[in-house]
Amino acid sequence: MPRNPGKVLILSPHVMTAALVGWYVELAKLEPAFAAPGENPSDALVRVKPVLVVLVDAASEDAISDLFAARASKRDVGLAIFSGSTDDDIAREWARRHELPFFRLPVDLEAFGRVLDQAGRVLPDRRRRADRRQSPSVSLAIDGTLYLTDDAGRAWYVYDRRGGERRSAEPYRAFVTPEGAEVRTVLSDDEFSAREPEALVAQLARGV
């Protein structure tokens, strides 16, 4: 899958932590960008173009601010907060108040992709559009994962599990919410080719 042309700006006072998150970004087929030494987060936001998402370390005090969040929002750039320690209560609460994704390191790569995508949907009111009943639709998430909105307006990330560690394991399609709740539907080989919204909704309804 080709790279998304946008960049993911990583703000962390810790070089090794920033490098680890940058590795996750590259695995998601996106391009990481970093603040220059001593650079203010707002200046980095202006310099790096185009920015899809900013990932902010809970230890980055200058970026955990209402002013920085407002500047990112004005540019239609999404934010997500991450932490490498358990001493992150202030940052977690700030993220909750701003309705921003929060994750701790290390993180599963698929979960990381969902965080990026939810952050990339930019503003909480845009994410709430999924609350209204509508016709089902399919698009691609920021990392290329299939993204289904069902007829009730719920969002699902779709992953195909064709091979397992055990040969007897049945191949299935996993439908995962942004929060990580999973529904599994066992499929035949022919059914895996279905990508139409109605077909995916029907498969989801069969899941457990």
Side-chain angles (χ1 to χ4, degrees):
M1 184 186 74
R3 277 186 188 269
N4 190 308
K7 298 177 182 178
V8 177
L9 176 60
I10 300 164
L11 300 176
S12 174
H14 308 300
V15 173
M16 294 302 295
T17 301
L20 173 61
V21 176
W23 178 69
Y24 279 114
V25 170
E26 290 184 335
L27 289 177
K29 302 295 188 295
L30 296 165
E31 182 179 353
F34 305 90
E39 186 176 31
N40 182 278
S42 294
D43 292 338
L45 181 63
V46 172
R47 175 180 57 82
V48 176
K49 298 176 181 178
V51 177
L52 292 170
V53 171
V54 181
L55 300 180
V56 180
D57 192 330
S60 182
E61 296 180 2
D62 290 343
I64 304 291
S65 73
D66 292 351
L67 179 60
F68 182 74
R71 286 173 173 168
S73 177
K74 186 176 181 180
R75 292 176 174 271
D76 279 351
V77 173
L79 298 178
I81 314 302
F82 67 90
S83 174
S85 74
T86 56
D87 185 20
D88 52 27
D89 291 345
I90 293 175
R92 283 179 66 88
E93 174 59 20
W94 186 83
R96 186 195 64 78
R97 284 193 290 106
H98 287 272
E99 300 184 60
L100 300 176
F102 181 96
F103 67 96
R104 280 204 177 114
L105 299 172
V107 62
D108 174 83
L109 184 58
E110 288 182 354
F112 181 74
R114 293 193 294 272
V115 167
L116 284 179
D117 188 66
Q118 287 296 298
R121 292 175 190 274
V122 185
L123 301 176
D125 62 323
R126 293 186 188 178
R127 290 196 289 271
R128 289 194 198 101
R129 289 177 186 174
D131 293 340
R132 297 193 295 267
R133 187 168 293 276
Q134 58 189 29
S135 298
S137 63
V138 171
S139 61
L140 292 180
I142 197 172
D143 64 347
T145 299
L146 201 63
Y147 181 87
L148 169 69
T149 303
D150 67 18
D151 49 5
R154 294 176 300 238
W156 302 89
Y157 295 88
V158 183
Y159 306 94
D160 289 347
R161 317 290 197 201
R162 289 177 177 270
E165 295 180 0
R166 298 174 300 166
R167 291 186 178 182
S168 60
E170 293 182 288
Y172 64 91
R173 177 164 281 167
F175 297 85
V176 183
T177 67
E179 298 75 26
E182 182 174 326
V183 173
R184 299 182 179 186
T185 304
V186 175
L187 300 179
S188 67
D189 289 341
D190 291 340
E191 288 178 309
F192 274 109
S193 63
R195 292 290 188 275
E196 302 79 12
E198 292 76 11
L200 291 174
V201 169
Q203 291 175 0
L204 174 61
R206 288 165 41 198
V208 295

